[in-house]
Amino acid sequence: MSRKVTAPGLRQMMEAGEKIVCITAYDYTSALLCDSAGVDVVLVGDSLGNVVQGHSTTVPVTLEEMVYHTRCVRRGLSSPLLVGDLPFGSYNVSVSQAVESAIALMKAGADAVKLEGDYTEEIRAIVKAGIPVMGHVGFTPQSINEFGGHKVQGRGDAGEGVLDEAISIQEAGVFGIVLEMIPADVAAVITKKIEIPTIGIGAGAACDGQIQVWHDVFGLSARKLKHARWFAQGQDVFGAALSEYISSTRSGEFPTSENSF
Ligand code: KIV
């Protein structure tokens, strides 16, 4: 059995120069696959709002839904660090709301939580409660309405702003930071300047690790995203298998005596 990955353990991986491999998962079966393949971090991301629930943004996702999916993933996962994503509206109102929401995800089985943006007071309070927090800066999907769409952040002078935000949440106590959709050179500077692991998604190769959304790397999403690669042609593979199931059933070729009792 592989070692249990912990939040402090990620810092050791960074210091040893080992790249940290992170991916999202939303259910038990995917969690089992992550566990046996040797992924380091599994994020139950609120991206489930897009790829599981069919919303156009992550804004509608609720804490109750995140609790449900965290429980499902927990049952299939032992070695990787399980990070539960705090959804929009579950930490933005007050410090006590943030701590209560983080506790709900921990009780559902998370080993750590993630939140987006410069919520330093909330981060401090959650860490004080004994809960490791992962930060998230750059393009933060819960603020898509403020950004006006999926837009690369931190270009030009704005790069300083992303760096400042990363430093400020590091000081508040996060154990690692997701850098999403920022120029690779800005991510490289942030990675050099801060002391904790950076986990990139559309932030270039200099980050200490990478994270991807499950559907975006297995060819299951509607379109190929620039920051992802299809390591499998999921739509084609499952589409062909589904067609074969339909034709085999319609023709009467399936089930055979082998599938019968
Ligand atoms: O919800 C999510 O999947 C995320 C990743 C894109 C980092 O926040």
Side-chain angles (χ1 to χ4, degrees):
M1 202 178 112
S2 337
R3 78 212 140 87
K4 171 73 193 157
V5 180
T6 62
L10 296 185
R11 177 94 173 242
Q12 287 158 17
M13 287 180 72
M14 175 196 78
E15 284 163 359
E18 283 175 55
K19 290 280 186 189
I20 302 165
V21 182
C22 319
I23 192 163
T24 66
Y26 315 105
D27 61 44
Y28 169 74
T29 305
S30 321
L32 283 178
L33 277 170
C34 291
D35 208 61
S36 55
V39 166
D40 300 309
V41 177
V42 171
L43 170 70
V44 183
D46 65 350
S47 50
L48 66 83
N50 303 106
V51 298
V52 175
Q53 299 176 331
H55 294 298
S56 59
T57 74
T58 57
V59 171
V61 177
T62 67
L63 181 62
E64 291 67 32
E65 289 162 349
M66 294 308 299
V67 163
Y68 170 79
H69 285 277
T70 300
R71 283 200 184 115
C72 297
V73 169
R74 177 75 282 163
R75 291 183 201 115
L77 211 65
S78 39
S79 303
L81 183 78
L82 196 172
V83 181
D85 218 359
L86 286 166
F88 176 66
S90 72
Y91 59 94
N92 319 74
V93 177
S94 66
V95 169
S96 60
Q97 184 211 24
V99 177
E100 280 172 15
S101 300
I103 289 173
L105 290 185
M106 296 302 281
K107 287 199 184 286
D111 301 314
V113 300
K114 177 172 84 58
L115 59 79
E116 298 182 4
D118 200 1
Y119 281 84
T120 50
E121 287 319 304
E122 289 72 9
I123 292 167
R124 277 184 226 284
I126 298 170
V127 171
K128 190 172 172 208
I131 301 171
V133 181
M134 180 176 255
H136 186 161
V137 301
F139 175 73
T140 44
Q142 292 170 15
S143 304
I144 190 163
N145 293 302
E146 191 187 345
F147 296 138
H150 288 92
K151 294 187 180 154
V152 174
Q153 301 297 305
R155 285 199 205 273
D157 291 347
E160 280 294 324
V162 185
L163 171 63
D164 291 347
E165 209 174 341
I167 291 172
S168 130
I169 62 171
Q170 169 178 257
E171 281 167 4
V174 298
F175 67 87
I177 304 181
V178 171
L179 303 178
E180 182 162 354
M181 276 171 65
I182 60 172
D185 57 343
V186 174
V189 170
I190 297 174
T191 301
K192 212 164 180 180
K193 289 218 166 154
I194 67 173
E195 289 157 17
I196 52 176
T198 57
I199 308 295
I201 172 164
C207 298
D208 299 304
Q210 297 291 326
I211 185 159
Q212 288 287 328
V213 168
W214 184 273
H215 297 59
D216 295 344
V217 285
F218 298 130
L220 292 166
S221 34
R223 59 197 178 91
K224 232 181 212 163
L225 300 172
K226 180 170 166 64
H227 63 66
R229 180 189 293 172
W230 284 2
F231 291 92
Q233 311 294 320
Q235 297 253 14
D236 294 349
V237 170
F238 288 112
L242 190 55
S243 298
E244 205 180 320
Y245 169 54
I246 292 169
S247 59
S248 303
T249 301
R250 291 210 170 118
S251 69
E253 183 274 318
F254 175 84
T256 64
S257 55
E258 259 181 51
N259 312 114
S260 307
F261 301 97

Short mmCIF file of all heavy atoms in Angstrom, two decimals, residues 24 43 45-47 85 114 136 178 180 201 211 213, ligand 1:
data_model
loop_
_atom_site.label_atom_id
_atom_site.label_comp_id
_atom_site.label_asym_id
_atom_site.label_seq_id
_atom_site.Cartn_x
_atom_site.Cartn_y
_atom_site.Cartn_z
N THR A 24 -9.15 16.16 -10.10
CA THR A 24 -10.45 16.18 -9.43
C THR A 24 -11.10 14.80 -9.55
O THR A 24 -10.80 14.04 -10.48
CB THR A 24 -11.41 17.20 -10.07
OG1 THR A 24 -11.73 16.77 -11.40
CG2 THR A 24 -10.82 18.60 -10.09
N LEU A 43 -8.92 16.36 -5.53
CA LEU A 43 -9.77 17.49 -5.16
C LEU A 43 -11.21 17.16 -5.54
O LEU A 43 -11.49 16.87 -6.71
CB LEU A 43 -9.33 18.76 -5.91
CG LEU A 43 -10.28 19.96 -5.80
CD1 LEU A 43 -10.27 20.54 -4.38
CD2 LEU A 43 -9.92 21.05 -6.81
N GLY A 45 -13.72 18.93 -6.47
CA GLY A 45 -13.82 20.33 -6.89
C GLY A 45 -15.26 20.74 -7.11
O GLY A 45 -16.10 19.92 -7.50
N ASP A 46 -15.50 22.04 -6.92
CA ASP A 46 -16.85 22.51 -7.23
C ASP A 46 -17.05 22.60 -8.75
O ASP A 46 -18.14 22.95 -9.22
CB ASP A 46 -17.15 23.85 -6.53
CG ASP A 46 -16.29 24.99 -7.01
OD1 ASP A 46 -15.32 24.74 -7.75
OD2 ASP A 46 -16.57 26.14 -6.63
N SER A 47 -15.99 22.24 -9.52
CA SER A 47 -16.15 22.07 -10.97
C SER A 47 -17.19 21.00 -11.26
O SER A 47 -17.65 20.88 -12.40
CB SER A 47 -14.81 21.71 -11.62
OG SER A 47 -14.21 20.62 -10.93
N ASP A 85 -13.56 21.13 -1.74
CA ASP A 85 -13.65 22.52 -2.20
C ASP A 85 -14.82 23.24 -1.51
O ASP A 85 -15.95 22.74 -1.54
CB ASP A 85 -13.92 22.48 -3.71
CG ASP A 85 -13.20 23.56 -4.48
OD1 ASP A 85 -12.49 24.37 -3.86
OD2 ASP A 85 -13.36 23.57 -5.72
N LYS A 114 -10.25 23.69 0.34
CA LYS A 114 -9.72 24.71 -0.56
C LYS A 114 -10.72 25.84 -0.66
O LYS A 114 -11.94 25.59 -0.67
CB LYS A 114 -9.43 24.13 -1.94
CG LYS A 114 -8.93 25.18 -2.95
CD LYS A 114 -8.47 24.56 -4.25
CE LYS A 114 -9.58 24.29 -5.25
NZ LYS A 114 -10.36 25.50 -5.64
N HIS A 136 -6.25 29.43 -3.69
CA HIS A 136 -6.54 29.37 -5.13
C HIS A 136 -6.57 30.82 -5.63
O HIS A 136 -7.45 31.58 -5.20
CB HIS A 136 -7.89 28.66 -5.32
CG HIS A 136 -8.27 28.39 -6.75
ND1 HIS A 136 -9.23 27.44 -7.07
CD2 HIS A 136 -7.87 28.92 -7.93
CE1 HIS A 136 -9.39 27.39 -8.38
NE2 HIS A 136 -8.58 28.31 -8.93
N VAL A 178 -3.30 26.82 -5.54
CA VAL A 178 -3.63 26.57 -6.94
C VAL A 178 -3.47 27.89 -7.69
O VAL A 178 -3.99 28.92 -7.28
CB VAL A 178 -5.08 26.05 -7.10
CG1 VAL A 178 -5.48 26.01 -8.57
CG2 VAL A 178 -5.22 24.67 -6.47
N GLU A 180 -4.41 29.36 -11.21
CA GLU A 180 -5.24 28.99 -12.38
C GLU A 180 -5.19 30.07 -13.45
O GLU A 180 -5.42 31.26 -13.18
CB GLU A 180 -6.70 28.75 -11.93
CG GLU A 180 -7.57 28.33 -13.12
CD GLU A 180 -8.88 27.66 -12.75
OE1 GLU A 180 -9.12 27.39 -11.56
OE2 GLU A 180 -9.67 27.38 -13.68
N ILE A 201 -2.85 25.10 -13.02
CA ILE A 201 -3.82 24.64 -14.04
C ILE A 201 -3.86 25.78 -15.05
O ILE A 201 -4.33 26.88 -14.74
CB ILE A 201 -5.20 24.26 -13.44
CG1 ILE A 201 -6.21 23.99 -14.57
CG2 ILE A 201 -5.74 25.27 -12.44
CD1 ILE A 201 -7.47 23.24 -14.13
N ILE A 211 -2.78 20.38 -11.53
CA ILE A 211 -4.12 19.82 -11.27
C ILE A 211 -4.94 19.94 -12.54
O ILE A 211 -4.78 20.91 -13.29
CB ILE A 211 -4.82 20.52 -10.07
CG1 ILE A 211 -6.16 19.82 -9.77
CG2 ILE A 211 -5.03 22.02 -10.30
CD1 ILE A 211 -6.68 20.05 -8.38
N VAL A 213 -9.03 18.89 -14.25
CA VAL A 213 -10.39 18.38 -14.04
C VAL A 213 -10.51 17.04 -14.77
O VAL A 213 -10.09 16.92 -15.93
CB VAL A 213 -11.42 19.42 -14.57
CG1 VAL A 213 -12.82 18.82 -14.64
CG2 VAL A 213 -11.41 20.67 -13.68
O1 KIV B 1 -13.18 22.98 -8.77
C1 KIV B 1 -12.13 22.64 -9.33
O2 KIV B 1 -12.07 21.63 -10.05
C2 KIV B 1 -10.96 23.46 -9.12
C3 KIV B 1 -9.73 23.14 -9.92
C4 KIV B 1 -9.91 23.62 -11.31
C5 KIV B 1 -8.51 23.66 -9.32
O3 KIV B 1 -10.98 24.36 -8.35
#
